[in-house]
Amino acid sequence: MRLSELPKGSPAVVDRVDDAHASDPIAQRLRDLGFVDGEPLRVVAIGPMGGDPLLIQIGSTRFALRRAEAARVSVRVEVAA
Amino acid sequence: MSASTLKIALVGNPNCGKTALFNQLTGGRQKVANYAGVTVERKEGRFTAPSGRVLQLLDLPGTYSFEANSPDEQITRDVCAGNYPGEAPPDLIVCVADATNLRLHLRFVLEVKRLGRPVVLALNMMDTARQRGIVIDVPQLQERLGLPVVETIAVKRGGARALIERVDGEVPAAAPAQTDDAASRADLHAQVRELLAATVTMPRATAVIDDALDRWTLHSVFGLMILAVVMFLVFQAVYSIGKPMTDLIGDGFGWMGEHAAALMPAGPLQSLVTDGLFGGIGTVLGFLPEILVLFLFIIVLEESGYLPRAAFLLDRLMLSVGLTGRSFIPLLSSFACAIPGIMGTRSIQDPRDRLATILIAPLMTCSARLPVYALLIGAFIPTRRVLGVFNLQGVVLFALYLAGILGAMAVGWVMKHIRRDKSEHALLMELPSYRLPKVRDVAIGLYERGAIFMKRLTGVILGLTILMWFISTFPSPPAGATGPAIEYSFAGYIGRALQYVFAPIGFNWQISLALIPAFAARETAVAALATVYLVGGEASGLGQALAGQISLASALSLLVWFAYAPQCMSTLAVIRRETDSWRNVAISFGYMFVLAYAASFVVYQVASALA
């Protein structure tokens, strides 16, 4: 599932970040900011106009990402044991 | 070693409290300038350590990663690596990390360590970390990192003592430099996880207060309402605190000019002193109160962490016209005056988004246009009721503000489609924790903004004001002349020449002439029209004179001209300063001239045809 499709509030875990094109600086920056395999995150807020941008809680940090940016992040929803 | 100056570079992620730490260490002893050739701020300060050694501190722009995404991040990387031209490599790097957000910040610490230079880690905001129950095993962290680690509280008096003692001591040994490649970069996250697992316990990932506040401030309905209230209060403050002070300064300098004039014989020298010198300084200083009040609020909003929330709420809207959420505050400031607005674009890191915001900012209706609007609307628009409730004069004024906003959106949209760089520029914005702004940091920020304005712009604006005075005063009218003196001056000749350019949009030579001083400051168009139409300073008298002399079509055309017209020269001077490019000044002036001319032409021709 793409991070851009994740419903607000449901916890998920980062799978990987995909480059939208060759040497994509935005994808690289997302990885540098901690969007790496196994990192838990969730959508905490959604922008008031057209549902964009998204506010993502990852670790102790909150990042505002546009949907196009969030679409680069592949996430998996882990079923609570 | 101890006798010479030790050069320390201060680095860290954005929002790590680095600037507060810099202020704590250096106090007011800072020098703010730009790096050569780019408009990235360079901040340097000095302080004397207890041992008597002088430490020179360079505050580098906040950076998430050495894989630089913006000019300021490139500068941080190059200065740290010691290969920025004209900048000596630092003897010691102090890396600042927010103790409440180590998962993000430690990765950059590891990146800095790999440069192979001496590094000290300052764990900042330790007070907040303790309040939130975060426990950090500092000796363990120090051992695992292989770097000296000190605790700091940048916002508390004496909160940097441990850091000062450490940097005043022996310079720590550098870790061996490591190559930078994709595999080793990916490995940094694994190292951070290991470090965190071994040294940090955190009861809760976020602060309770942040979660509670964000629920309201980012709410799709209440969030926008809160934003509207905040902005309304800022504008009220600008008008109720800044405006009276501006008027007071203008009056004060007028009074001083008159008294200075009384001391010297009548003639060109007297006129230079009263109109040129005192008038010019009055104009420059007159901007200052409004700029300071606006920046006071901008800095407080920035320090408190609210500004990125506003950008979050409005990003979608701004993106649709080729801007970014961060453009909002500078554009809003431009309703008071484009100068603080353009200076405020420094908070936009992306150069393309920043330039787009700078070019659009002067289309926002600044307060200097109001006297012109008031004069023309009062003289030409009847006080009729529209739809039973609205005053037609108010409707026209509102339409002029709206024309500016719609024009800006249209220009943004066009720029988005014609610019060469159509690539996706990221928002990727961190929303930091809410913080209570500290008086010292606000005061230093305000002082810096004020100093930039005074130092860098006074010369330009004063020079141009005196030039304006010169062309409106010389040559003096011939003996026996009956018209106003300005009619015989260079400005008079230029006005008559400009008439040929402006006739198609309905301006006679008097109006064309008034456009010349209006270029110095827009509100002076009123005084210039009063001079050429030989009436006293009374606005109502001038209104009647105008109504008798020019047609309604011309008046409407002039209103529209002022809505879009090329900005005043002070704004052009600030565009030159902030973009370091005459080309951008030319583009800005050129497109607004074409826009204003085209809009006025349509309005004049349509209104003349209907009349």
Side-chain angles (χ1 to χ4, degrees):
Chain A
M1 191 197 261
R2 297 279 137 197
L3 176 56
S4 48
E5 297 156 0
L6 189 69
K8 185 176 154 185
S10 56
V13 171
V14 176
D15 214 1
R16 59 175 194 284
V17 177
D18 298 310
D19 286 11
H21 48 81
S23 63
D24 179 1
I26 297 177
Q28 181 55 48
R29 177 47 54 102
L30 284 169
R31 284 182 209 113
D32 287 348
L33 291 179
F35 289 82
V36 290
D37 184 20
E39 209 59 43
L41 51 64
R42 73 197 161 88
V43 179
V44 288
I46 291 176
M49 285 166 250
D52 207 10
L54 304 172
L55 185 62
I56 311 296
Q57 173 85 48
I58 180 163
S60 302
T61 324
R62 289 175 167 199
F63 288 110
L65 303 188
R66 293 192 183 130
R67 279 185 184 272
E69 291 151 24
R72 290 171 166 86
V73 184
S74 155
V75 297
R76 53 181 190 269
V77 178
E78 287 188 342
V79 187
Chain B
M1 187 68 207
S2 66
S4 68
T5 317
L6 187 75
K7 274 192 279 297
I8 301 172
L10 206 56
V11 298
N13 280 34
N15 308 311
C16 66
K18 187 165 59 65
T19 300
L21 195 60
F22 180 79
N23 289 343
Q24 158 94 262
L25 289 170
T26 64
R29 298 173 301 279
Q30 330 185 337
K31 247 176 30 193
V32 186
N34 278 351
Y35 288 93
V38 285
T39 50
V40 175
E41 219 160 65
R42 181 187 186 281
K43 273 207 312 202
E44 194 192 277
R46 281 164 184 276
F47 68 103
T48 310
S51 72
R53 179 155 62 164
V54 176
L55 306 176
Q56 183 192 332
L57 204 59
L58 186 62
D59 185 18
L60 289 167
T63 309
Y64 286 112
S65 158
F66 281 142
E67 187 93 347
N69 265 6
S70 65
D72 41 354
E73 288 188 343
Q74 276 163 25
I75 284 174
T76 301
R77 180 193 62 197
D78 294 343
V79 172
C80 284
N83 47 26
Y84 190 83
E87 206 67 66
D91 302 312
L92 174 66
I93 296 174
V94 172
C95 193
V96 186
D98 175 356
T100 66
N101 198 358
L102 286 177
R103 189 175 294 274
L104 179 67
H105 291 204
L106 270 184
R107 203 201 68 94
F108 184 62
V109 176
L110 293 175
E111 246 191 306
V112 173
K113 182 187 157 194
R114 299 201 306 178
L115 290 171
R117 292 189 173 273
V119 180
V120 170
L121 170 61
L123 282 182
N124 197 23
M125 309 198 202
M126 281 304 290
D127 50 342
T128 318
R130 277 192 202 103
Q131 276 163 23
R132 280 174 49 184
I134 299 169
V135 181
I136 303 171
D137 183 347
V138 176
Q140 176 75 270
L141 184 65
Q142 176 161 307
E143 196 186 311
R144 282 179 177 253
L145 276 172
L147 304 172
V149 179
V150 293
E151 298 183 18
T152 58
I153 304 167
V155 293
K156 210 179 97 187
R157 187 182 290 275
R161 194 173 298 132
L163 177 64
I164 295 172
E165 279 166 14
R166 187 62 197 81
V167 298
D168 195 24
E170 207 170 301
V171 173
Q178 280 165 19
T179 48
D180 186 27
D181 55 57
S184 72
R185 299 180 70 77
D187 191 45
L188 290 179
H189 284 294
Q191 289 180 47
V192 169
R193 268 183 211 165
E194 255 171 58
L195 281 169
L196 288 176
T199 62
V200 180
T201 48
M202 235 177 159
R204 202 172 182 285
T206 54
V208 181
I209 178 97
D210 288 347
D211 293 346
L213 284 173
D214 274 347
R215 247 197 294 286
W216 290 97
T217 56
L218 301 180
H219 190 275
S220 24
V221 178
F222 297 115
L224 290 173
M225 278 164 57
I226 292 169
L227 179 64
V229 169
V230 169
M231 291 308 131
F232 179 78
L233 290 177
V234 171
F235 268 71
Q236 278 299 309
V238 169
Y239 282 101
S240 58
I241 305 172
K243 195 73 184 158
M245 284 165 75
T246 294
D247 295 343
L248 204 67
I249 289 175
D251 293 349
F253 274 90
W255 180 84
M256 279 195 281
E258 276 168 34
H259 280 255
L263 299 175
M264 52 179 82
L269 189 66
Q270 185 205 43
S271 159
L272 171 68
V273 170
T274 51
D275 302 334
L277 214 56
F278 280 97
I281 296 173
T283 307
V284 174
L285 287 182
F287 282 120
L288 200 59
E290 285 177 52
I291 288 182
L292 290 183
V293 171
L294 249 175
F295 269 113
L296 173 67
F297 282 95
I298 292 178
I299 293 170
V300 167
L301 291 178
E302 205 167 10
E303 295 275 318
S304 68
Y306 184 70
L307 223 48
R309 268 84 186 173
F312 174 85
L313 290 171
L314 294 164
D315 183 66
R316 181 56 189 264
L317 184 71
M318 306 306 273
L319 182 67
S320 64
V321 291
L323 300 169
T324 150
R326 295 174 207 257
S327 313
F328 173 69
I329 300 292
L331 290 182
L332 197 80
S333 313
S334 302
F335 278 105
C337 174
I339 293 169
I342 289 168
M343 284 165 65
T345 60
R346 285 179 180 225
S347 63
I348 307 172
Q349 284 191 346
D350 187 286
R352 188 188 73 183
D353 291 341
R354 178 159 185 254
L355 181 61
T357 311
I358 288 175
L359 291 180
I360 283 175
L363 285 173
M364 302 294 133
T365 304
C366 66
S367 54
R369 283 178 235 197
L370 268 177
V372 182
Y373 287 171
L375 170 71
L376 292 171
I377 290 176
F380 287 93
I381 310 296
T383 50
R384 226 180 30 219
R385 297 258 148 210
V386 184
L387 300 173
V389 275
F390 301 110
N391 181 329
L392 183 61
Q393 294 191 330
V395 173
V396 171
L397 185 64
F398 178 75
L400 288 165
Y401 271 82
L402 197 65
I405 296 169
L406 292 177
M409 290 173 81
V411 170
W413 190 86
V414 169
M415 271 200 300
K416 178 174 143 184
H417 285 85
I418 60 169
R419 65 186 166 205
R420 245 168 283 147
D421 176 12
K422 288 198 172 57
S423 62
E424 179 186 359
H425 285 218
L427 176 65
L428 260 180
M429 176 177 63
E430 182 183 350
L431 268 56
S433 284
Y434 289 98
R435 255 167 238 153
L436 267 182
K438 292 285 158 189
V439 174
R440 183 186 55 209
D441 295 322
V442 174
I444 289 177
L446 205 55
Y447 169 76
E448 280 171 6
R449 292 286 156 247
I452 288 173
F453 177 75
M454 293 306 291
K455 269 192 229 149
R456 301 192 191 163
L457 293 172
T458 305
V460 186
I461 297 176
L462 199 58
L464 287 170
T465 312
I466 290 173
L467 181 71
M468 283 296 168
W469 164 82
F470 182 82
I471 65 165
S472 338
T473 311
F474 292 102
S476 337
T482 50
I486 195 169
E487 204 176 317
Y488 303 95
S489 68
F490 292 117
Y493 290 107
I494 298 171
R496 271 189 290 272
L498 282 177
Q499 182 189 257
Y500 297 102
V501 180
F502 289 116
I505 61 173
F507 295 179
N508 56 19
W509 76 264
Q510 289 94 333
I511 297 177
S512 304
L513 191 157
L515 294 183
I516 299 172
F519 182 59
R522 282 174 164 134
E523 61 270 34
T524 56
V526 175
L529 283 172
T531 316
V532 285
Y533 280 115
L534 273 175
V535 291
E538 290 294 312
S540 58
L542 178 59
Q544 281 162 9
L546 276 177
Q549 299 267 354
I550 63 175
S551 67
L552 175 63
S554 289
L556 290 176
S557 168
L558 186 58
L559 280 173
V560 171
W561 172 266
F562 269 95
Y564 293 125
Q567 49 278 40
C568 62
M569 60 192 184
S570 314
T571 305
L572 292 174
V574 81
I575 292 176
R576 162 81 184 95
R577 283 292 170 190
E578 291 295 310
T579 65
D580 206 23
S581 145
W582 283 110
R583 187 171 163 267
N584 289 328
V585 174
I587 291 174
S588 175
F589 183 84
Y591 97 79
M592 289 189 75
F593 190 93
V594 171
L595 184 66
Y597 196 93
S600 296
F601 182 81
V602 171
V603 166
Y604 179 65
Q605 298 298 338
V606 170
S608 303
L610 291 178

